[in-house]
């Protein structure tokens, strides 16, 4: 089973790209977004919508939600879209899942530093 993690709950480019990747796969998969969406089966916290400074708290809450959710224990692979979608990366490492991380943003100083920090630890 495959879990697709999207940072944005609005349907856009990454969602369409995910459908293209998985159209030939017979394996079961489900979508996960931050915030409620008709596109996803599971919804994670989206505190950054209220205030951008709550992003670190949101990561912590979402890691706990992913680890505690039974659907993710059955999942063998995590497809993570966006360099800022850190919670599924951390959860995937903790749960020892295969991770495919799709970096869809243009590289800037912040995204480069986020990637360096995560790459250093994992």
């Amino acid at each position: 089973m495959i879990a697709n993690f999207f940072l944005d709950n609005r349907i856009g480019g990454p969602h369409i790209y995910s459908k293209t990747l998985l159209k030939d796969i017979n394996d079961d998969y489900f979508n996960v977004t931050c915030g409620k969406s008709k596109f996803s089966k599971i919804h994670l916290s989206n505190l950054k919508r209220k205030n951008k400074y709550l992003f670190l708290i949101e990561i912590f809450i979402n890691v706990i939600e992913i680890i505690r959710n039974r659907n993710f224990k059955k999942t063998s692979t995590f497809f993570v879209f966006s360099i800022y979608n850190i919670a599924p990366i951390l959860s995937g490492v903790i749960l020892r899942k295969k991770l495919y991380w799709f970096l869809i943003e243009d590289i800037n100083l912040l995204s480069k530093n986020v990637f360096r920090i995560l790459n250093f630890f994992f």
Side-chain angles (χ1 to χ4, degrees), residues 104-122:
I104 56 175
E105 295 88 8
D106 290 334
I107 297 173
N108 60 27
L109 185 61
L110 178 62
S111 62
K112 188 184 277 187
N113 288 331
V114 166
F115 189 74
R116 281 184 182 161
I117 291 168
L118 290 174
N119 194 28
F120 177 75
F121 287 110
F122 304 108

Side-chain angles (χ1 to χ4, degrees), residues 5 7 34-35 44-49 51-68 80 82-92 94 101 110 114-115 117-118 122:
F5 291 91
L7 200 57
C34 290
L44 298 176
S45 298
N46 194 7
L47 297 175
K48 69 185 164 300
R49 276 251 158 113
N51 188 335
K52 66 181 178 182
Y53 299 110
L54 296 175
F55 185 59
L56 293 175
I57 296 169
E58 176 187 313
I59 292 171
F60 180 72
I61 291 170
N62 287 343
V63 167
I64 291 171
E65 284 183 36
I66 292 169
I67 291 172
R68 293 183 68 202
V80 181
S82 178
I83 196 165
Y84 303 111
N85 206 354
I86 300 168
I89 297 294
L90 296 175
S91 303
I94 292 168
W101 196 5
L110 178 62
V114 166
F115 189 74
I117 291 168
L118 290 174
F122 304 108

Side-chain angles (χ1 to χ4, degrees), residues 24-106:
D24 296 330
I25 296 177
N26 295 330
D27 202 2
D28 290 332
Y29 69 92
F30 59 93
N31 298 317
V32 182
T33 59
C34 290
K36 291 187 179 182
S37 172
K38 294 177 183 177
F39 181 75
S40 65
K41 180 179 177 182
I42 299 174
H43 316 292
L44 298 176
S45 298
N46 194 7
L47 297 175
K48 69 185 164 300
R49 276 251 158 113
K50 298 183 188 317
N51 188 335
K52 66 181 178 182
Y53 299 110
L54 296 175
F55 185 59
L56 293 175
I57 296 169
E58 176 187 313
I59 292 171
F60 180 72
I61 291 170
N62 287 343
V63 167
I64 291 171
E65 284 183 36
I66 292 169
I67 291 172
R68 293 183 68 202
N69 193 314
R70 291 182 190 166
N71 290 326
F72 298 115
K73 292 181 180 168
K74 300 175 192 173
T75 306
S76 62
T77 308
F78 285 5
F79 281 10
V80 181
F81 294 86
S82 178
I83 196 165
Y84 303 111
N85 206 354
I86 300 168
I89 297 294
L90 296 175
S91 303
V93 170
I94 292 168
L95 296 173
R96 296 184 178 173
K97 304 295 181 184
K98 282 186 193 176
L99 291 168
Y100 293 96
W101 196 5
F102 297 95
L103 307 179
I104 56 175
E105 295 88 8
D106 290 334

